[in-house]
Amino acid sequence: EADIYQTPRYLVIGTGKKITLECSQTMGHDKMYWYQQDPGMELHLIHYSYGVNSTEKGDLSSESTVSRIRTEHFPLTLESARPSHTSQYLCASSELGTGGYTEAFFGQGTRLTVV
Amino acid sequence: LAKTTQPISMDSYEGQEVNITCSHNNIATNDYITWYQQFPSQGPRFIIQGYKTKVTNEVASLFIPADRKSSTLSLPRVSLSDTAVYYCLVGSSNTGKLIFGQGTTLQVKP
């Protein structure tokens, strides 16, 4: 099992609230990612990081922000939650394996519902 | 990043071999081909990766023709528990991004 953890697993919150989704990995991976996925739909990359103090927007525009102050920690923050933010958020980290490939490990996800 | 095209869905029966083909016409020289599996309400899981020819592990085989413009994931003797979404990704270790397409939903029937 991969050592990457997300909390909380489920969150129901009211509109306008500020929330932070936590993601931590103990594998020492430099690269980390946040994806957004609606039920039955594809994963959309919303943020990624090459390492400490390095963050970039993904292919899907998102109102969330991220920070990478420590290698193992990559939290995602929504300053003011809206019903349109209701979705599943998946965190991942990756390593460069032998032979030059990249293997990503995913957390269990946070299912966010904004009411 | 090379764009990938996969069938949206496939049906199979238990015990059959399933082959899922992915097209990636714009694959670059440094790109690897990687397949992930995702069950409902879980994050994707790495299955197999290759650069050219054939790769086999305990779960699947990956066939890549010489021109590398497509690849085929082969699942031998599928079971009901193989029902999942399978994603084909193309990229190199230098790009950093991992972009998932729409994937192929495999339904295994008894």
Side-chain angles (χ1 to χ4, degrees), chain B residues 40-53:
Chain B
S41 301
Q42 294 185 24
R45 183 180 66 139
F46 174 92
I47 300 175
I48 197 168
Q49 186 177 80
Y51 183 80
K52 62 180 179 181
T53 63

Side-chain angles (χ1 to χ4, degrees), chain A residues 31 33 35 37 50 99 101 104, chain B residues 32 36 38 49 93 95-96 98:
Chain A
K31 294 177 183 173
Y33 316 80
Y35 292 87
Q37 185 178 36
Y50 283 106
Y101 67 81
Chain B
Y32 283 78
Y36 286 81
Q38 185 181 27
Q49 186 177 80
S93 59
T95 61
L98 291 175

Side-chain angles (χ1 to χ4, degrees), chain A residues 20-109:
Chain A
T20 296
L21 307 184
E22 301 289 347
C23 177
S24 295
Q25 51 98 1
T26 58
M27 297 172 283
H29 293 168
D30 287 328
K31 294 177 183 173
M32 296 190 73
Y33 316 80
W34 275 104
Y35 292 87
Q36 184 176 342
Q37 185 178 36
D38 293 327
M41 305 299 286
E42 62 191 88
L43 291 92
H44 292 287
L45 180 66
I46 53 175
H47 299 282
Y48 68 104
S49 169
Y50 283 106
V52 171
N53 295 324
S54 159
T55 61
E56 295 190 27
K57 294 281 190 180
D59 288 13
L60 179 68
S61 176
S62 173
E63 294 168 344
S64 59
T65 59
V66 292
S67 63
R68 190 88 184 276
I69 299 173
R70 303 197 315 266
T71 297
E72 62 272 20
H73 195 213
F74 192 38
L76 181 145
T77 298
L78 276 166
E79 290 292 333
S80 180
R82 294 207 300 266
S84 61
H85 296 139
T86 295
S87 188
Q88 174 160 259
Y89 293 84
L90 289 157
C91 179
S93 68
S94 70
E95 67 176 356
L96 188 64
T98 57
Y101 67 81
T102 297
E103 178 177 347
F105 298 88
F106 282 80
Q108 290 284 72

